[in-house]
Amino acid sequence: MLGHRALTFEDYGAILKRRWWMVAIPAAILPVIAFASSYLVQPQYLSQTLVLVEQQKVPEDYVRPVVSEDLTGRLASMREQILSRARLMPIIERFNLYGSGKMSMDDRIDLTRKNIDIKPIHSEMARTGGLPGFFISFTASDARTAQQVAGEITSLFVNENLRSRASSVEGTQEFLQGQLADAKRNLDDQDAKMAAFEQKYMGKLPGEEAPNMNMISSLNTQLDATTQALARMEQDRSYEEAMLTQQQSVAQTIDRGGPAPQAQQAELQSLLNEEADLTKRYTDDYPDVVAVRRKIKDLRAEMASAPPPAPVPPVSAPNRGDSPAVLQLRAQIRSLDQGIAQKRHEQGQISSQLKIYQDRISSSPMVQEEYKNLTRDYTTAQAFYDSLLKNVNQSKMATDLEKRQQGEQFKVMDEPNLPDEPSSPKRSVFLAGGLAAGLGLGLLLVAWIEYRDTALRSERDIWAFTKLPTLAVISLTGEMQPVATKQKWTFGRRKPKIAAAGKPLMNAGG
């Protein structure tokens, strides 16, 4: 009745009760067939080994590892390299894998790749969630071959890890050595530029402003002292020269027999002082005042009537008739001339030095700007060189660590096992699959028969076909009389034949 009306759970139960044998028979036969067919499948043996990843034995605070790539990525890279055609072909030829058939080498390589399994494991003790190890397994039709190939693949992983790490540290060290050489050349160039610049602008470099200012102050003091000393010496020379002129004039006057002009001048000055003193105390008619004024008048008349003095020879021109005092004055004047010349030379030198230091101060800002740019480039080059030198030293220690096999390594915990029994086919799987297939086939068969069955077995069936209400239902009250049936295959189920008067349903519609 499937497809003719909506069924209830009671209908499904009635169907299963009525046709259970259609489900039971396939469910009993197909598992037996599947179990028997499992013996036709070639057995496969699985050999497996565990490889643990040992971390670096020296703490990373002392030696930083060069290889910092995640282990998962490195393991995937190694897997691709090991499962390459160049690596697998020698193994296939050595162990004659899949050589019994007529498979091509490409198919044998693909089948070998499918039978190699690398499964990483995660340990709860790992702090960073990294891989503490992984399983390597290989499946083959022969137990010994599976074990040998698994061991070969394991050796390839261990050796590839050592080769990869050694290649990484050597490549890193070679790269850093090249970078360090370039950085050293750059640093030498910057150093040469710094030396040339410092030599060119010596005294104008930053930090020398204070010494320059102190030097200017000291030179100014020296210049003032020299200028004052020069002025004193020139004053002394003028005095000495005046004294020499006076001495020569006195000598010439004495030679002519007249009074010395200086004596007359001194006497006149004395009389003038006396006159001034007397006029403060007495009147102009006082006799002493009149007498002093008369003397002054006479002396001035005498000085006016005196002959003019003879020209005085130059002080530098000595004369045989010079007195000792004149000779001494000439010597003092010559000494003063030498002193004056020396002081003027010193004054010129100090002025020149003072100009140099003032030029240094004035040009200091421009030099500072160039020096700052040069220093920044030099500092950058020095820092880059120091950083590279540190990395090179770290790389050398890491390389030595790898050579001593103290770095990260793959450790084979167990050699590949020799399987005692095949890993496939699994009989239980075949048995379960046969049972599932039998049940499915039986259910499909029941569904098909029920779909084609048009018998009316309940009031709902009558309503579904006639669309008429049922007035009454007469239950079966008589004893069923078994009627001999012509069907041979009843599978233990009795199919009663019920007389027309004994049918339980009756529909009366109109």
Side-chain angles (χ1 to χ4, degrees):
M1 296 297 293
L2 292 176
H4 300 291
R5 64 177 178 85
L7 300 180
T8 62
F9 286 105
E10 289 80 7
D11 295 330
Y12 286 116
I15 292 172
L16 290 177
K17 185 177 179 181
R18 187 168 58 249
R19 304 187 189 277
W20 63 270
W21 54 275
M22 292 184 181
V23 179
I25 291 175
I29 294 175
L30 289 185
V32 175
I33 297 174
F35 186 78
S37 63
S38 67
Y39 286 93
L40 301 177
V41 179
Q42 186 177 10
Q44 297 292 324
Y45 294 87
L46 176 66
S47 180
Q48 181 175 272
T49 183
L50 173 61
V51 179
L52 290 182
V53 179
E54 286 189 341
Q55 299 300 322
Q56 180 176 305
K57 296 180 176 61
V58 179
E60 294 185 3
D61 294 337
Y62 297 99
V63 180
R64 185 174 299 174
V66 175
V67 181
S68 59
E69 185 182 358
D70 183 58
L71 179 59
T72 304
R74 287 195 290 119
L75 187 60
S77 177
M78 284 189 287
R79 175 192 172 95
E80 295 299 326
Q81 294 179 3
I82 291 172
L83 297 185
S84 63
R85 180 186 181 90
R87 295 290 186 89
L88 289 181
M89 186 180 294
I91 298 176
I92 293 173
E93 293 176 349
R94 186 187 312 166
F95 296 101
N96 193 23
L97 298 178
Y98 319 113
S100 58
K102 296 182 179 179
M103 300 176 63
S104 63
M105 180 54 71
D106 291 338
D107 295 337
R108 294 167 70 182
I109 291 174
D110 292 339
L111 189 57
T112 304
R113 287 173 181 165
K114 291 179 181 177
N115 289 327
I116 296 175
D117 187 21
I118 293 95
K119 183 187 300 180
I121 59 175
H122 295 271
S123 173
E124 297 180 354
M125 298 298 293
R127 296 179 179 177
T128 59
L131 296 176
F134 53 92
F135 290 103
I136 298 176
S137 61
F138 181 73
T139 304
S141 58
D142 179 63
R144 179 64 62 184
T145 302
Q147 183 190 27
Q148 292 176 347
V149 174
E152 192 71 21
I153 299 298
T154 304
S155 299
L156 289 178
F157 267 96
V158 174
N159 295 331
E160 179 64 23
N161 179 57
L162 293 176
R163 189 199 63 79
S164 176
R165 294 186 67 85
S167 176
S168 297
V169 295
E170 290 177 359
T172 302
Q173 186 175 2
E174 183 179 356
F175 173 75
L176 290 177
Q177 289 287 358
Q179 291 293 315
L180 183 64
D182 294 340
K184 187 175 184 306
R185 284 193 293 271
N186 186 25
L187 183 61
D188 291 340
D189 294 341
Q190 295 295 331
D191 197 6
K193 290 181 181 178
M194 285 287 294
F197 186 85
E198 290 177 353
Q199 185 178 4
K200 180 179 180 181
Y201 296 102
M202 185 179 296
K204 301 179 182 179
L205 299 175
E208 296 184 354
E209 294 86 356
N212 289 334
M213 292 300 296
N214 294 333
M215 200 64 191
I216 289 175
S217 178
S218 176
L219 289 174
N220 283 326
T221 303
Q222 294 180 17
L223 183 61
D224 292 341
T226 303
T227 303
Q228 292 177 5
L230 179 62
R232 285 196 301 271
M233 294 178 73
E234 289 177 347
Q235 186 177 3
D236 292 343
R237 186 184 183 285
S238 298
Y239 177 75
E240 295 293 339
E241 190 175 7
M243 290 297 296
L244 178 60
T245 303
Q246 183 178 0
Q247 290 292 333
Q248 289 177 343
S249 177
V250 170
Q252 290 176 1
T253 303
I254 294 173
D255 292 340
R256 289 195 301 266
Q262 291 75 13
Q264 292 176 345
Q265 187 67 30
E267 185 180 357
L268 177 61
Q269 186 63 36
S270 176
L271 291 174
L272 289 174
N273 293 336
E274 185 179 358
E275 179 190 8
D277 184 51
L278 291 173
T279 54
K280 290 180 180 177
R281 292 178 295 170
Y282 307 104
T283 61
D284 295 339
D285 297 335
Y286 192 73
D288 291 342
V289 176
V290 174
V292 170
R293 288 180 175 174
R294 187 176 59 251
K295 289 180 180 178
I296 293 173
K297 182 179 179 182
D298 294 341
L299 182 58
R300 286 179 174 172
E302 183 181 357
M303 292 175 63
S305 62
V312 179
V315 295
S316 58
N319 192 0
R320 290 182 178 179
D322 290 342
S323 63
V326 172
L327 294 176
Q328 185 178 1
L329 289 173
R330 289 184 184 278
Q332 290 178 356
I333 289 172
R334 284 195 298 273
S335 177
L336 288 173
D337 288 340
Q338 293 177 356
I340 288 171
Q342 183 177 0
K343 288 298 180 183
R344 285 178 178 173
H345 180 69
E346 291 178 0
Q347 190 180 31
Q349 287 183 341
I350 293 173
S351 298
S352 177
Q353 292 181 2
L354 188 61
K355 185 179 180 181
I356 291 174
Y357 283 100
Q358 288 175 347
D359 179 66
R360 289 179 180 180
I361 294 297
S362 61
S363 60
S364 181
M366 182 190 66
V367 175
Q368 284 184 1
E369 186 66 23
E370 295 182 8
Y371 187 76
K372 186 185 299 181
N373 296 333
L374 196 60
T375 303
R376 182 173 57 248
D377 295 340
Y378 178 80
T379 304
T380 303
Q382 181 70 49
F384 185 62
Y385 177 78
D386 293 341
S387 175
L388 282 177
L389 185 60
K390 182 180 178 181
N391 292 333
V392 167
N393 293 331
Q394 288 283 346
S395 177
K396 287 181 180 178
M397 288 191 293
T399 303
D400 187 60
L401 192 71
E402 294 295 334
K403 290 181 179 178
R404 295 172 183 268
Q405 295 187 357
Q406 298 294 316
E408 181 187 284
Q409 292 182 350
F410 288 172
K411 182 177 181 181
V412 180
M413 293 301 297
D414 298 315
E415 293 298 331
N417 64 315
L418 180 63
D420 297 331
E421 57 183 13
S423 60
S424 67
K426 295 184 180 300
R427 314 294 181 194
S428 58
V429 175
F430 275 77
L431 192 62
L435 178 61
L439 291 174
L441 180 61
L443 291 175
L444 287 176
L445 184 60
V446 169
W448 172 253
I449 293 175
E450 286 293 327
Y451 181 76
R452 296 178 60 83
D453 188 6
T454 57
L456 301 178
R457 292 185 175 84
S458 65
E459 183 181 355
R460 294 168 59 86
D461 294 340
I462 296 172
W463 173 257
F465 278 95
T466 62
K467 302 299 180 181
L468 297 175
T470 302
L471 297 178
V473 177
I474 302 174
S475 62
L476 182 62
T477 57
E479 294 181 357
M480 284 193 306
Q481 297 177 0
V483 179
T485 178
K486 295 181 180 179
Q487 296 180 356
K488 297 181 180 178
W489 303 98
T490 57
F491 299 99
R493 185 173 67 95
R494 294 180 178 179
K495 187 175 181 180
K497 288 291 187 178
I498 302 175
K503 290 185 179 179
L505 299 178
M506 182 178 67
N507 179 267

